[in-house]
Amino acid sequence: MYAIIGITGQVGSAVADTLLTQGLEVRAVVRDAAKAESWKSRGCEIAVADVNDVAALTKAFQGVDGVFVLLPPIFDPSPGFTEGKAMLASLRAALEAAKPPRIVCLSTIGAQAVQPNLLNLLGMMETSFSELPLPVAFLRAGWFMENALWDVATARKEGVLRSYLQPLDRAFPMVATQDVGMLAAALLLETWTGTRIVELEGPQRVTPNQLAAAFAEVLGHHVKAEVVPRDGWIDEFTRQGMKNPTPRAQMIDGFNEGWIRFDSDDAHVRKGTTSLNVVIAKLIDRH
């Protein structure tokens, strides 16, 4: 039995699918049981636990062979990551109390970066969970290919992909969430001691121009990548409803300037198999 947080999301569902396909038992840890009905129908055990409820989380993490953990995404954090730190404290307390045999934790490329940015919270998570007297694997994934969902409408209607990643001919490490979930499931079946870091990207790095070309191929019409000027980001993010847009802008700066990167050399970064065009085709088909 493997407990999975985030099973209703892209990565968590891929972890569960992979384990279920192998005939393994899954416990879906969810805040709302109604949202897990499809997983229940597939034979999953359901555990209801809010990420801030230590007692419920502890119960959900007990009696399993491994736990997959992720933090709910916080794209617009309060200054100082107040909400995120509270969730980290609850998760750590529950893991420490439940003592599962192994933990696989979704982290991110650039978790080791010391510069202020949106991903600092995952660096804090790695520091905190590394202190647990348990086997913990941090899966540092590249930029999700599925982030291109935000580009579907303009690519389809206007033939334009407005890119914050720049310059347009720079290749960035991207990966499909399916590949992240499959590797996370594989790690849950391994045995190790202490803390380990596993880094993952897709089969090849992707430039914004290549991302636009992938949209063009799938849509069947020309799509051009255009730079979104840096001096307009904060105003744009604020118009989108963000109250604290600076960490998001700093994160993108980190990708563009190269200090959000993998810690390992290229030879030790694992490669997924799902191509960008496959992901773009699925996004367009669904939206």
Side-chain angles (χ1 to χ4, degrees):
M1 173 79 72
Y2 295 89
I4 300 176
I5 282 184
I7 197 169
T8 57
Q10 295 179 107
V11 175
S13 63
V15 178
D17 277 329
T18 303
L19 294 173
L20 291 170
T21 299
Q22 296 180 48
L24 299 169
E25 296 182 327
V26 168
R27 178 181 295 164
V29 184
V30 295
R31 287 180 296 175
D32 182 355
K35 294 183 178 180
E37 283 300 318
S38 63
W39 294 103
K40 185 177 181 180
S41 68
R42 295 180 61 182
C44 292
E45 181 180 306
I46 308 300
V48 178
D50 185 89
V51 73
N52 292 302
D53 187 337
V54 175
L57 286 173
T58 300
K59 184 177 179 181
F61 295 159
Q62 289 174 331
V64 297
D65 299 297
V67 175
F68 174 73
V69 176
L70 55 72
L71 279 177
I74 304 175
F75 298 111
D76 190 15
S78 297
F81 299 100
T82 305
E83 313 96 325
K85 288 178 178 177
M87 291 189 291
L88 282 180
S90 295
L91 285 167
R92 173 173 168 159
L95 291 166
E96 194 164 19
K99 296 180 174 59
R102 64 190 64 85
I103 303 162
V104 174
C105 188
L106 180 62
S107 186
T108 179
I109 182 175
Q112 78 282 5
V114 297
Q115 295 90 334
N117 76 95
L118 187 62
L119 304 181
N120 289 152
L121 183 62
L122 295 179
M124 297 175 199
M125 176 192 67
E126 288 192 8
T127 298
S128 177
F129 290 6
S130 291
E131 297 170 351
L132 292 168
L134 301 165
V136 183
F138 298 108
L139 176 50
R140 291 181 180 174
W143 181 284
F144 288 167
M145 292 178 183
E146 283 79 2
N147 290 338
L149 171 63
W150 303 104
D151 302 309
V152 169
T154 57
R156 175 184 279 136
K157 297 176 183 178
E158 303 172 33
V160 173
L161 184 148
R162 297 186 175 92
S163 181
Y164 295 95
L165 294 176
Q166 45 199 256
L168 298 179
D169 59 355
R170 177 171 186 162
F172 296 89
M174 299 186 184
V175 66
T177 53
Q178 176 67 25
D179 288 342
V180 179
M182 290 176 65
L183 179 54
L187 293 173
L188 281 170
L189 304 182
E190 295 181 4
T191 300
W192 71 93
T193 59
T195 299
R196 62 191 294 204
I197 292 173
V198 180
E199 297 182 311
L200 175 70
E201 62 177 314
Q204 63 182 33
R205 296 192 173 183
V206 179
T207 70
N209 283 332
Q210 289 171 328
L211 184 58
F215 269 107
E217 182 172 339
V218 175
L219 289 169
H221 64 71
H222 181 68
V223 178
K224 179 182 179 181
E226 295 182 352
V227 165
V228 179
R230 175 64 175 85
D231 59 8
W233 291 4
I234 296 299
D235 288 343
E236 177 63 24
F237 296 158
T238 301
R239 284 194 294 271
Q240 293 172 5
M242 297 186 71
K243 297 178 180 179
N244 183 29
T246 298
R248 179 183 174 190
Q250 291 169 327
M251 175 193 70
I252 302 170
D253 285 338
F255 279 97
N256 293 343
E257 295 169 10
W259 49 263
I260 288 185
R261 55 176 176 75
F262 288 121
D263 208 24
S264 305
D265 56 53
D266 289 348
H268 292 91
V269 175
R270 302 199 192 189
K271 302 293 192 295
T273 59
T274 304
S275 72
L276 176 65
N277 281 41
V278 166
V279 172
I280 297 303
K282 288 181 179 179
L283 292 178
I284 289 173
D285 184 58
R286 294 172 185 170
H287 302 278

